[in-house]
């Protein structure tokens, strides 16, 4: 239930949304807006304002201009109801907002002029102040952010639903080569982009019991009586499209207690008990991804998922009520996209709301649910396909478990009709996993309740159909489809790489930003030596900027003219940062042994966080830093090899790394990476890829051409054959002298200050089991790296390959991805928003 119903005052709506004093987009108007907010909002005078004050003032002034479009967009969907996208995601890694909004409004130069009137040298000094929102972790959250921006840019009405985390996953420090996690207090300085909406809060229940009863029509019903409640308070973040009036919203839920302070407990001296409920409830939105290595951690994570999903679905139902639309038509006005399995409880929660709160029949509720819900699978890794212990689930969500049992019973009856007498398939497809401890399989629930299930790259979608969920695909082949991921060119080229953006505008026109296929026009310049030199100089400019950042933050001096060889992503064994590290050791040994003829001078750059409880990933970070310490201190490496680990990799840092990269390392084990999106950002900025046939690498190679991609490694089929034949990595090591020499050097403690035991767990893992086939791919990886060096030696040819990578990257725009979702899965259309009127 919602906490309060809004009053219907029947006020006339405005004929337009243009406030002449707060909608102006010229430098004078922006300066006036900043001055006003400094004085009235922040209580500061310009002469004493800090850079943070100026950042806040400029942000508020920009937000004023967003409100014109934001309110008009809300009114448009109220006045002309049509299907709206509800994008449910546990993460939205939206990155800094100020510059993105300046770009989309088209007022970057005007803002530059306005801040200079306050005595600031450049707008960049103000942008550097902005704290990055800790609302996401990796590719999943960044994809959600790109999709929200593309939805608005394509003028599609949408709301992104998630959690307003008080603390991000963590800030990463590197101490003595090890990752150290510290609290990410991203809200400490205030966040000007959110609009709290306490009057639209929702109640969410947990625990308790259910009881059955008969309603006044004689129908059997079940009633949930929760043992505890939390309140979800929405905070709205405007999401503006590029040079359009559409401004969608990101609605993030903050958890509050139903009773914040117990006066009786306080008065009898129980001071902790007086605020216990407040502390317990507010924990729900404290931190992104609590450690699920403990029972309490798992309980909190499940509570978080139910909390934001329930609030979001209640909000959608309330929107129908406010517009006088029948709940039976829910699927005509909302399409609910589940971004991975975290929001999969939505299937059961929507059924509960429709049956228990709205008193619909099972058949009608199931029809609505299966018409409105769609599910995106993002992983093939078993540990990432969420399963919840049955006892935990029953204790926390007893009514939902009843509904899941009924969904499962009805579904399995269909399976029996299709596969009579096949108990093995029944066990495999059941939502309830009965092998070992009983558990609820959330991917199964999402698949059964969704009208479409999509993977996020062509290869990944094929593996979902043939390996992950083959029996489901046999039952419902029409459900399964593919939408290859994409990234927004606004942030990842126009914002991140102004020199390249300017060059592109000069040669293909300004509309490439919203129509990436126009970059194909660059192909006409691929043999123009003057253009190729200009392209190379543009790349060198951004590499110098990255070199300066590296020196300031790590103390390592790097040569911007060297090959910048980059691997930035979450640290995980399947992503194989340790494969890259091993080839660095081989290059190091070649230099030491006088065998480095033809080797390109390289700066190898790593970045990424390891999950706090993932020891092997944290050991890989220590391994990389041990190699960096040794290599960078050796005078034989000067001008030939440098290794850098960039701490605390974020969107903000990515905006410097992607433009300044020459080589993109996409070296995951084939069949393990669902898609990847970093690979797309590198390609858009003209980096060449060295990679396996995994995830979206396959499609990148198809698009840019096999001659412009450095391919290596076992295929999915070859890895499967290796497994069947009995893979023995120690035999591979013995047969490869360079690999054997590298392993031996590690074992002597050469990269660990003489500690021969430090990296033993890593070497034992690679030598004995090698679950991600690092040893199997090493020799071919080294061959591909030699091909990279050879290509780098002909700089004009390298620049040509770089141009073709950028020119053919248009397919990987998130605008294309969202258009495919709109056309094939959601069946939604754009809704143009008009804010024009005659202001006198």
């Amino acid at each position: 239930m919602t906490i309060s119903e809004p009053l219907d005052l029947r006020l006339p709506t405005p004929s337009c949304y243009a406030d002449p004093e707060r909608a102006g987009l010229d430098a004078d108007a922006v300066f006036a807006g900043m001055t006003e907010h400094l004085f009235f909002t922040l209580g500061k005078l310009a002469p004493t304002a800090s850079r943070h004050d100026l950042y806040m003032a400029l942000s508020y002034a920009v937000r004023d201009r967003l409100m014109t479009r934001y309110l008009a967009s809300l009114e448009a969907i109220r006045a002309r109801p049509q299907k709206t996208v509800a994008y449910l995601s546990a993460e939205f890694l939206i990155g800094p907002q100020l510059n993105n909004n300046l770009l989309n409004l088209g007022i970057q130069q005007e803002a530059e002029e306005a801040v200079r009137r306050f005595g600031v040298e450049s707008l960049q000094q103000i942008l550097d102040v902005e704290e990055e929102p800790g609302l996401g972790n990796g590719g999943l959250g960044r994809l959600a952010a790109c999709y929200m921006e593309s939805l608005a840019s394509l003028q599609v009405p949408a709301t992104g639903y998630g959690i307003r985390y008080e603390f991000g996953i963590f800030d990463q420090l590197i101490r003595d080569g090890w990752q150290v996690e510290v609290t990410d207090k991203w809200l400490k300085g205030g966040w000007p982009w959110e609009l709290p909406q306490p009057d639209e809060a929702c109640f969410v229940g947990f625990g308790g019991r259910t009881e059955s009863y008969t309603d006044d029509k004689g129908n059997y019903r079940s009633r949930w009586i929760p043992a505890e409640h939390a309140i979800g308070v929405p905070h709205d973040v405007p999401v503006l499209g590029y040079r359009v009036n559409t401004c969608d919203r990101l609605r993030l839920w903050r958890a509050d207690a139903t009773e914040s302070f117990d006066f009786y407990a306080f008065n009898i001296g129980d001071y902790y008990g007086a605020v216990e409920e407040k502390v317990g409830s507010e924990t729900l939105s404290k931190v992104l991804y609590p450690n699920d290595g403990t029972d309490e951690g798992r309980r909190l994570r499940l509570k978080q998922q139910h909390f934001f999903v329930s609030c979001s679905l209640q909000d959608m139902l309330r929107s129908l009520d406010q517009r006088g639309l029948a709940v039976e038509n829910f699927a005509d006005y909302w399409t609910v996209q589940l971004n991975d399995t975290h929001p999969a409880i939505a299937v059961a929660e929507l059924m509960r709301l429709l049956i228990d709160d709205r008193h619909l029949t099972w058949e009608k509720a199931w029809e609505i649910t299966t018409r409105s819900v769609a599910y995106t699978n993002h992983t093939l890794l078993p540990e990432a396909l969420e399963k919840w212990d049955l006892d935990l689930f029953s204790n926390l969500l007893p009514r939902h478990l009843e509904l899941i049992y009924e969904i499962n019973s009805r579904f399995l009856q269909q399976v029996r009709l299709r596969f009579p007498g096949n108990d093995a398939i029944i066990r495999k497809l059941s939502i309830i996993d009965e092998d070992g401890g009983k558990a609820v399989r959330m991917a199964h629930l999402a698949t059964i309740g969704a009208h479409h299930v999509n993977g996020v790259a062509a290869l990944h979608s094929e593996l979902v159909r043939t390996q992950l969920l083959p029996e489901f695909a046999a039952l419902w082949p029409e459900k399964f489809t593919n939408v290859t991921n994409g990234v927004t060119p606004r942030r990842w080229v126009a914002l991140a790489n102004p020199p390249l953006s300017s060059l592109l505008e000069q040669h293909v026109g300004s509309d490439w930003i919203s129509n990436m296929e126009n970059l194909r026009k660059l192909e006409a310049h691929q043999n123009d030596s003057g253009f190729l030199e200009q392209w190379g100089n543009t790349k060198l400019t951004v590499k110098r900027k990255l070199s300066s950042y590296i020196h300031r933050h790590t103390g390592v001096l790097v040569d911007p003219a060297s090959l910048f060889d980059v691997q930035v992503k979450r640290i995980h064994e399947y992503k194989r940062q340790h494969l890259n590290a091993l080839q660095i050791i081989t290059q190091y040994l070649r230099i030491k042994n006088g065998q480095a003829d033809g080797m390109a001078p390289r700066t190898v750059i790593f970045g990424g966080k390891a999950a706090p409880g993932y020891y092997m990933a944290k050991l890989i970070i220590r391994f990389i830093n041990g190699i960096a310490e040794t290599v960078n201190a050796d005078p034989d490496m000067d001008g030939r090899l440098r290794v850098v680990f960039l701490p605390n990799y974020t969107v903000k840092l990515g905006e410097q790394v992607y433009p300044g990269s020459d080589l993109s390392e996409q070296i995951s084990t084939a069949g393990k990476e669902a898609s990847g999106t970093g690979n797309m950002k590198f390609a858009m900025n003209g980096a060449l890829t060295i990679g396996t046939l995994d995830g979206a690498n396959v499609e990148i190679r198809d698009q840019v051409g096999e001659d412009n991609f450095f391919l290596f490694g076992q295929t999915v089929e070859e890895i499967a054959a290796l497994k069947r034949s009995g893979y023995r990595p120690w035999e591979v090591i013995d047969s490869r002298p360079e690999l054997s020499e590298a392993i031996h050097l590690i074992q002597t403690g050469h990269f660990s200050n003489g500690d021969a035991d430090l990296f033993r767990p890593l070497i034992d893992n690679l030598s004995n089991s090698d679950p991600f086939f690092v040893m199997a791919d090493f020799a071919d990886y080294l061959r591909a790296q030699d091909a990279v060096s050879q290509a780098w030696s002909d700089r004009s040819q390298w620049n040509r390959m770089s141009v073709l990578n950028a020119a053919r990257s248009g397919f990987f725009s998130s605008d294309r991805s969202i258009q495919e979702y709109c056309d094939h899965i959601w069946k939604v259309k754009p809704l143009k928003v008009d804010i024009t009127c005659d202001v006198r």
Side-chain angles (χ1 to χ4, degrees), residues 370-513:
T370 55
R371 283 184 57 215
S372 55
V373 173
Y375 162 51
T376 300
N377 173 278
H378 281 278
T379 183
L380 299 169
L381 299 178
E383 65 269 23
L385 291 171
E386 287 186 312
K387 294 196 299 186
W388 295 109
D389 176 79
L390 201 65
D391 290 339
L392 168 63
F393 202 98
S394 175
N395 180 264
L396 198 61
L397 301 171
R399 176 58 178 145
H400 298 74
L401 188 58
E402 289 181 351
L403 291 164
I404 287 170
Y405 280 150
E406 183 65 20
I407 292 168
N408 199 40
S409 175
R410 293 176 182 232
F411 165 66
L412 292 181
Q413 186 56 33
Q414 294 181 50
V415 178
R416 290 186 185 96
L417 293 174
R418 179 70 183 272
F419 304 101
N422 193 333
D423 291 339
I425 282 190
I426 295 292
R427 286 194 302 274
K428 191 169 184 180
L429 296 191
S430 173
I431 299 173
I432 308 303
D433 183 359
E434 312 239 9
D435 295 332
K438 291 187 177 181
V440 182
R441 296 162 161 157
M442 301 309 286
H444 284 44
L445 177 62
T447 301
I448 293 165
H451 57 81
H452 280 86
V453 178
N454 73 279
V456 290
L459 174 62
H460 171 242
S461 295
E462 180 62 23
L463 294 175
V464 168
R465 283 192 296 267
T466 59
Q467 294 186 13
L468 185 67
L469 302 169
E471 293 83 7
F472 284 108
L475 272 175
W476 299 308
E478 71 284 354
K479 268 194 186 190
F480 288 79
T481 188
N482 173 64
V483 180
T484 298
N485 283 347
V487 300
T488 170
R490 269 76 64 179
R491 180 175 292 276
W492 296 114
V493 182
L495 272 187
N497 200 343
L500 177 59
S501 183
S502 176
L503 183 64
L504 295 176
E505 185 170 343
Q506 178 184 341
H507 288 277
V508 304
S510 60
D511 59 349
W512 67 267
I513 300 179

Side-chain angles (χ1 to χ4, degrees), residues 92-93 131-136 163 165-169 184 186 288:
F92 287 93
L93 192 59
E131 191 78 23
E132 183 164 325
L135 299 170
I163 298 176
Y165 300 104
E166 183 176 343
F167 303 111
I169 188 164
D184 175 14
W186 69 277
L288 169 66

Side-chain angles (χ1 to χ4, degrees), residues 133-192:
L135 299 170
N137 174 34
L140 184 80
R142 186 52 236 170
L143 180 78
C146 284
Y147 279 3
M148 288 303 301
E149 195 267 1
S150 280
L151 280 161
S153 294
L154 294 175
Q155 304 180 75
V156 176
T159 296
Y161 285 107
I163 298 176
R164 180 188 179 269
Y165 300 104
E166 183 176 343
F167 303 111
I169 188 164
F170 60 84
D171 282 339
Q172 180 195 57
L173 303 179
I174 301 297
R175 290 179 182 159
D176 299 323
W178 291 97
Q179 169 179 291
V180 176
E181 301 92 21
V182 296
T183 305
D184 175 14
K185 301 177 182 179
W186 69 277
L187 284 167
K188 64 181 180 293
W191 197 40

Side-chain angles (χ1 to χ4, degrees), residues 563 565 598 600 602 662-663 665 688-690 710 781-794 798:
L563 171 69
D565 178 352
R602 291 193 192 221
D662 295 306
L663 185 67
E665 297 272 354
L688 277 60
T689 302
I690 182 170
F710 299 100
Y781 180 49
L782 209 57
R783 175 203 55 77
Q785 290 286 9
D786 291 342
V788 169
S789 285
Q790 184 177 355
W792 183 257
S793 67
D794 184 346
W798 182 279

Side-chain angles (χ1 to χ4, degrees), residues 266-320:
F266 184 83
N267 287 334
I268 63 171
D270 184 5
Y271 303 122
Y272 175 76
V275 294
E276 184 176 10
E277 183 180 348
K278 175 181 172 64
V279 171
S281 294
E282 293 181 0
T283 299
L284 286 171
S285 56
K286 278 290 181 192
V287 66
L288 169 66
Y289 293 153
N291 186 353
D292 59 1
T294 65
D295 290 342
E296 280 306 307
R298 285 188 289 273
R299 181 179 179 85
L300 176 55
R301 191 176 286 203
L302 179 55
K303 287 182 76 171
Q304 281 186 335
Q305 293 176 6
H306 172 61
F307 166 72
F308 96 84
V309 165
S310 180
C311 287
S312 304
L313 291 169
Q314 290 181 58
D315 191 56
M316 293 175 225
L317 288 165
R318 174 173 52 197
S319 79
L320 297 182

Side-chain angles (χ1 to χ4, degrees), residues 7 47 76 100 105 141 143 171 199 277 358 470 483 501 576 606 637 694 752 774 791:
L7 296 175
N100 197 72
L105 284 169
L143 180 78
D171 282 339
D199 58 330
E277 183 180 348
R358 302 303 177 113
V483 180
S501 183
R576 302 202 295 189
F606 294 88
M637 301 299 118
D694 193 30
S752 48
V774 173

